[in-house]
Each structure stands twice: as C-alpha cells, then as structure tokens.
Amino acid sequence: MNSRKGFSLVETLIYADILAVVSIFIVNSILMITKSFNNYRAWRNVNAAGEAAMERMVREIKLADSINTITSVFDSNPGYLALNTIDPDTEAVTTIEFYASGNVLMVKEGVQSGVVLTPSGVELMNLIFREVATSTNTRSKAIRI
C-alpha cells in the first residue's frame, strides 16, 4: 500500500492561484468601499456647508427691510447681495452683504470685516443672485439664490 501524505506541486500551484484571485477580489472590494465612503463624506461636508450658508442667507433676506439694488450685483457670477436692515440691539440702520471672495462665501455686517461662511475644504463655484419681480405687491421683493 502506497499512502501519500501532503500536496503535489500542481495542487499547490492551483491553491496559490485561487488564493491570489480571492485576495485581489477582497483588496479591490476594500478599496472601492473606502473610495465610496470618502466620496460620501465629501458630499456630506459640501451639503452641510451649503445648507448652513443658505439658511443664513435666507434668514437675513427675510429679516431685511430692503435690498440695496445700487450696490447689489444680480444675474452674474460672482453675485453680490447687499441688504438694508435694522440692528435689533441698537435700532440703527445697517447693511448685510453676501459675496464671494475667491472660492469662499463671505458675509459682512455693517462696517465689520467679512466673515467666511463656508468651511475649509469646500469651494464655492458659482454665486448668482436674481431679483424676482413680484407683480402682486409692488412693496414686496424677492431674491433667488
């Protein structure tokens, strides 16, 4: 009786090939999952930054008394929006301005220097303000961002 123990060279090569194919599949899967997670994280950061900036602009537009149409720039990129408002603490008339500086969104209140609204790592690509004509009430104004 001849009983052999162990593997032959051909069997070892076949097992090594199967292990290599499975390893490549697992590594590629891990790389794709990592890339997808990084893309999702970047999308989430951009979405959160855009939502926070839009929320601030909408709130200031709603609270504004009027739009300063002389200094505002509509229908072009980069846009510039100047709002006339009343400071609730001092009741003094002041302006709030939204504008792009490079690739960041800025807000400027009164005579203070501008403050960045977008976090680092998020670039502003377009900023266009449009004044919407309201025919029902001549005292009402609207802005599309």
Side-chain angles (χ1 to χ4, degrees):
M1 247 171 92
N2 207 359
S3 69
R4 295 182 347 184
K5 295 192 180 203
F7 300 106
S8 70
L9 182 59
V10 174
E11 290 173 328
T12 304
L13 289 176
I14 291 172
Y15 293 143
D17 287 345
I18 292 172
L19 179 64
V21 168
V22 170
S23 297
I24 289 172
F25 176 75
I26 290 172
V27 168
N28 281 338
S29 296
I30 291 172
L31 290 175
M32 285 189 336
I33 289 171
T34 304
K35 183 178 177 182
S36 295
F37 177 74
N38 288 337
N39 287 342
Y40 171 73
R41 186 172 38 187
W43 173 82
R44 187 181 64 201
N45 289 343
V46 169
N47 192 34
E51 185 177 334
M54 288 296 290
E55 186 176 305
R56 172 77 189 268
M57 287 190 287
V58 167
R59 183 178 65 239
E60 296 296 347
I61 290 169
K62 284 182 179 180
L63 294 175
D65 290 331
S66 64
I67 302 166
N68 188 337
T69 56
I70 296 171
T71 58
S72 294
V73 176
F74 297 114
D75 299 321
S76 68
N77 182 38
Y80 190 92
L81 180 64
L83 303 169
N84 299 320
T85 186
I86 297 175
D87 187 346
D89 297 331
T90 63
E91 294 188 12
V93 175
T94 187
T95 60
I96 296 178
E97 302 164 5
F98 294 98
Y99 58 95
S101 177
N103 290 335
V104 295
L105 178 62
M106 305 286 290
V107 61
K108 180 179 174 188
E109 297 184 35
V111 294
Q112 299 174 357
S113 60
V115 177
V116 177
L117 279 181
T118 52
S120 63
V122 175
E123 292 183 5
L124 178 68
M125 302 304 289
N126 287 320
L127 180 64
I128 301 173
F129 297 104
R130 289 189 172 87
E131 189 174 19
V132 179
T134 55
S135 60
T136 58
N137 186 351
T138 57
R139 295 182 47 134
S140 177
K141 299 246 180 185
I143 296 291
R144 175 183 267 169
I145 303 169

